[in-house]
Amino acid sequence: MRNHMCKFTGVIFVFLASCASIPFTNPYQISKVIEQDKALSSQMQQDVSSGISEKEALEKMIRGMRKISIAGTPPEFAEAYRRHIQAWEEFSDEQGALGFFKAIAIGMIAGITANPGLFLTYANEQKGLSDKITTTWYEVEAIAARYSVTIE
């Protein structure tokens, strides 16, 4: 009997030790990140409606996204949210002054060379950047759902 009790105690100890290595994840932390992200998105739309340039409002939103604490969220959620921020940063970089001049230059070259394919390639690049934002957000949502966090 004592031998079985020692084995049982050993199994419990191993189980508890393995649980200790799993970081505690509070679904509330994921919800907080999602709520703050949505608030920033709404604020960006309000800023644009009030006359702030889209570029300025976008940069303000991205700065806010970087400030959101992802502490206490699962590592895969934190990484997905970082990729989402990066997708927005890439989109913003392309929308800046260089992106504007690039679009004009490509449009002029396409017109001069009678090659509309150049402009279509640029348009597809832009679509790819916006698709990346959508894709990374779906990834954030999917991971949140695994932790029983619903997104409205």
Side-chain angles (χ1 to χ4, degrees):
M1 175 76 172
R2 183 177 165 127
N3 192 20
H4 292 294
M5 191 63 144
C6 287
K7 286 181 183 178
F8 180 71
T9 304
V11 169
I12 289 176
F13 178 75
V14 169
F15 174 75
L16 292 175
S18 68
C19 289
S21 66
I22 301 170
F24 175 73
T25 300
N26 183 349
Y28 176 71
Q29 292 303 110
I30 295 173
S31 296
K32 279 178 45 178
V33 171
I34 302 294
E35 288 170 17
Q36 291 174 34
D37 183 273
K38 286 185 172 252
L40 288 169
S41 180
S42 294
Q43 183 62 51
M44 181 185 77
Q45 293 170 6
Q46 290 173 5
D47 288 347
V48 170
S49 295
S50 69
I52 294 176
S53 74
E54 287 181 16
K55 175 71 173 159
E56 188 178 339
L58 181 58
E59 288 175 349
K60 179 181 170 186
M61 182 187 77
I62 293 168
R63 282 192 306 274
M65 290 171 77
R66 284 192 211 119
K67 291 178 183 177
I68 295 174
S69 172
I70 52 177
T73 63
E76 68 267 20
F77 177 86
E79 188 56 38
Y81 192 69
R82 283 188 205 103
R83 281 192 298 275
H84 183 62
I85 294 170
Q86 183 179 14
W88 274 110
E89 289 170 337
E90 289 171 10
F91 181 80
S92 176
D93 290 346
E94 194 61 35
Q95 301 308 309
L98 290 177
F100 175 73
F101 290 120
K102 183 178 177 181
I104 290 175
I106 289 172
M108 289 174 57
I109 293 169
I112 292 169
T113 63
N115 182 358
L118 288 174
F119 193 75
L120 292 175
T121 300
Y122 178 73
N124 285 334
E125 287 175 9
Q126 295 299 300
K127 183 178 181 328
L129 291 172
S130 63
D131 286 350
K132 187 173 181 181
I133 291 168
T134 303
T135 301
T136 55
W137 182 250
Y138 286 154
E139 183 181 358
V140 166
E141 284 183 329
I143 294 169
R146 279 190 263 160
Y147 289 89
S148 301
V149 175
T150 54
I151 300 174
E152 298 176 19

